[in-house]
Amino acid sequence: MDRVKQLGNVAEIMLDYVENNRTFAGDKTMSVPTESYTSKDQWRAEMELVFKRVPLMLAFTAELPNPGDYKAMEAVGLPILINRDKAGKVRAFLNVCSHRGAPVAPEGHGNCARFTCKYHSWTFGQDGRLIAVAEASTFGDVNKAERGLTELPCEERAGMIFVCLTPNAPIDLDGYFRGYLEDFEALDFGNWTFLGARTIEGANWKIAFDGYLEGYHFASLHADTIHPRTPSNRMHFEGFGPNMRIGFPQRHISEALRGLPRSDWGAQENNGYDFVRIFFPNVSIFVAPEITQVAQLFPGPTPDRNRTVLNYLRREPVRDEEDRAAVETMINFFRDVTYQEDYVIGLEIQKGLESGAHDEIVFGRNERGNQFFHEWLNWYLEDDPSAPEPTM
């Protein structure tokens, strides 16, 4: 179906939710064991069966727009190097020198024609090949063809760069996203401007991620920030494989849509309704009128912690110093709201679950997004591709 027509259908559904006090509802409630958020065994299984197998969105085209640009980062405890070569191709590697294991690029962004390890100055090309060994005459024989950087499966699509953290693993974005990336192509995401990032830390990654998947908590937890714009407990869910698009109607959706032709309703994002776009297992994208926040949630070094990178983009480049100051103020506001209103209570939830007070938690019929996420998580943890996939 045409994208605008599909979004128009969703807008009509959300209009009904607001006007008739309803929301998307599943067939039943769902219980999840509390140890899912505390168990070291499950945490290890999540690393191996989920985070190291599925394509993770690790960077934006806007972060590496030019030949020679690179981004060095940590993901799931692994040092990752992503770069764009002189022909424009994006590649990903483990940021680990084949000599003694030191990084070949410092964490952050930069631009260079080659990567040189700061420990002993071994040098690697943009394609990962070992180019030079420092003082080679005294080192001894080295087969350069066998000593390149370890490459990771990588693909650039719709303004984003996806990486699989297991070398030589298959990467099938079409099979994984099932048409969802067309949404970002329509947004022209590849031509947006990267504004910067902030890092926050919180409880178990699923405790934090659960908060991105529902609006049932808006009235109580976001009474002064989100709730004035978006009514609590009014949500619509669509599934694209394990990924989701969550619709949130605004309070004035009736006024925003009723005066427009029905054919235009699908082009009114941020005017009557908003979407939060979810990439399983760990990305939440909120395209706001002023700025877009993309949260990447990475499991921490222990089950009770996560590290979240909040990335910020918008369509227009920064105009001047005054605009840059306004952007920084807005970024800090989004960061502070996310941490103070969501992550702080997440840390309290972590303590509560570790107390042993209850053996399980429950997601209501109205929290279908959370149910869907945990159903897909369980599907991956079962490690049985022949098992039926969850459906929305």
Side-chain angles (χ1 to χ4, degrees):
M1 182 184 296
D2 174 80
R3 174 181 177 272
V4 173
K5 185 176 181 180
Q6 173 62 24
L7 295 186
N9 292 341
V10 172
E12 186 172 28
I13 292 169
M14 292 191 288
L15 176 65
D16 173 71
Y17 289 165
V18 171
E19 293 184 340
N20 295 291
N21 296 318
R22 295 192 292 206
T23 191
F24 191 106
D27 296 331
K28 57 187 177 181
T29 62
M30 176 186 182
S31 296
V32 173
T34 56
E35 68 175 9
S36 173
Y37 301 91
T38 62
S39 165
K40 287 185 177 180
D41 289 339
Q42 173 150 341
W43 175 78
R44 293 189 188 99
E46 290 164 354
M47 300 307 100
E48 297 302 320
L49 298 177
V50 180
F51 280 88
K52 291 184 180 180
R53 292 195 182 182
V54 305
L56 301 178
M57 197 287 289
L58 294 187
F60 306 94
T61 296
E63 289 183 271
L64 293 82
N66 304 308
D69 286 348
Y70 72 83
K71 177 183 181 180
M73 62 181 294
E74 178 184 313
V76 197
L78 298 175
I80 307 299
L81 173 62
I82 304 169
N83 81 298
R84 188 181 301 280
D85 68 18
K86 61 183 179 181
K89 179 180 174 58
V90 169
R91 290 184 170 87
F93 307 93
L94 291 174
N95 187 15
V96 180
C97 180
S98 57
H99 173 216
R100 298 269 291 277
V104 300
E107 188 165 319
H109 298 82
N111 183 285
C112 62
R114 58 187 59 86
F115 299 99
T116 301
C117 174
K118 66 180 180 181
Y119 196 8
H120 294 94
S121 295
W122 280 33
T123 302
F124 301 82
Q126 294 174 337
D127 58 1
R129 291 184 303 111
L130 176 59
I131 295 175
V133 173
E135 300 188 50
S137 62
T138 63
F139 189 87
D141 294 337
V142 174
N143 187 333
K144 292 180 182 178
E146 296 178 351
R147 292 286 178 178
L149 299 176
T150 298
E151 191 162 6
L152 299 172
C154 174
E155 189 171 340
E156 183 176 24
R157 290 277 292 278
M160 295 168 286
I161 298 167
F162 299 89
V163 179
C164 181
L165 299 183
T166 299
N168 301 314
I171 183 168
D172 177 10
L173 297 188
D174 290 326
Y176 190 73
F177 287 102
R178 306 184 193 184
Y180 195 17
L181 294 183
E182 296 173 6
D183 209 8
F184 295 87
E185 291 167 351
L187 291 170
D188 196 27
F189 215 49
N191 290 314
W192 288 29
T193 296
F194 180 73
L195 301 171
R198 301 288 188 272
T199 300
I200 59 177
E201 297 182 351
N204 177 276
W205 70 277
K206 298 186 298 297
I207 289 177
F209 206 51
D210 279 335
Y212 292 91
L213 304 180
E214 48 87 1
Y216 183 36
H217 66 282
F218 287 176
S220 52
L221 196 63
H222 302 301
D224 298 323
T225 50
I226 297 176
H227 195 237
R229 171 189 175 95
T230 307
S232 197
N233 203 29
R234 300 289 179 267
M235 304 151 285
H236 187 73
F237 302 98
E238 302 168 87
F240 302 83
N243 312 286
M244 282 183 278
R245 184 167 57 204
I246 308 176
F248 293 96
Q250 297 171 10
R251 293 186 179 277
H252 78 291
I253 187 171
S254 298
E255 293 82 356
L257 298 184
R258 288 296 188 192
L260 297 174
R262 174 61 178 76
S263 58
D264 291 345
W265 286 12
Q268 301 303 311
E269 182 171 355
N270 300 138
N271 178 36
Y273 57 87
D274 301 296
F275 289 112
V276 170
R277 293 168 170 88
I278 299 296
F279 290 169
F280 183 90
N282 70 324
V283 172
S284 170
I285 302 170
F286 175 46
V287 179
E290 309 86 359
I291 197 170
T292 289
Q293 176 174 285
V294 182
Q296 299 167 299
L297 285 79
F298 297 104
T302 55
D304 61 340
R305 289 293 179 266
N306 87 84
R307 179 178 63 89
T308 297
V309 181
L310 301 173
N311 303 274
Y312 297 93
L313 303 94
R314 74 177 187 188
R315 289 177 171 87
E316 306 82 15
V318 175
R319 296 183 296 272
D320 49 36
E321 289 303 315
E322 182 179 357
D323 187 32
R324 167 52 70 182
V327 163
E328 292 296 319
T329 298
M330 197 174 305
I331 286 175
N332 290 333
F333 170 77
F334 271 72
R335 185 267 320 272
D336 292 345
V337 168
T338 303
Y339 181 77
Q340 294 170 6
E341 297 188 6
D342 289 290
Y343 279 52
V344 168
I345 197 169
L347 292 167
E348 295 174 345
I349 291 170
Q350 185 76 50
K351 290 181 181 178
L353 297 183
E354 291 176 349
S355 73
H358 305 286
D359 293 332
E360 60 185 25
I361 63 170
V362 61
F363 292 110
R365 294 174 57 233
N366 59 326
E367 297 176 300
R368 182 62 191 135
N370 301 83
Q371 295 181 6
F372 190 67
F373 166 74
H374 284 273
E375 288 167 2
W376 270 102
L377 179 65
N378 292 338
W379 185 87
Y380 276 100
L381 293 177
E382 287 174 6
D383 197 21
D384 179 7
S386 67
E389 294 182 347
T391 59
M392 185 62 75

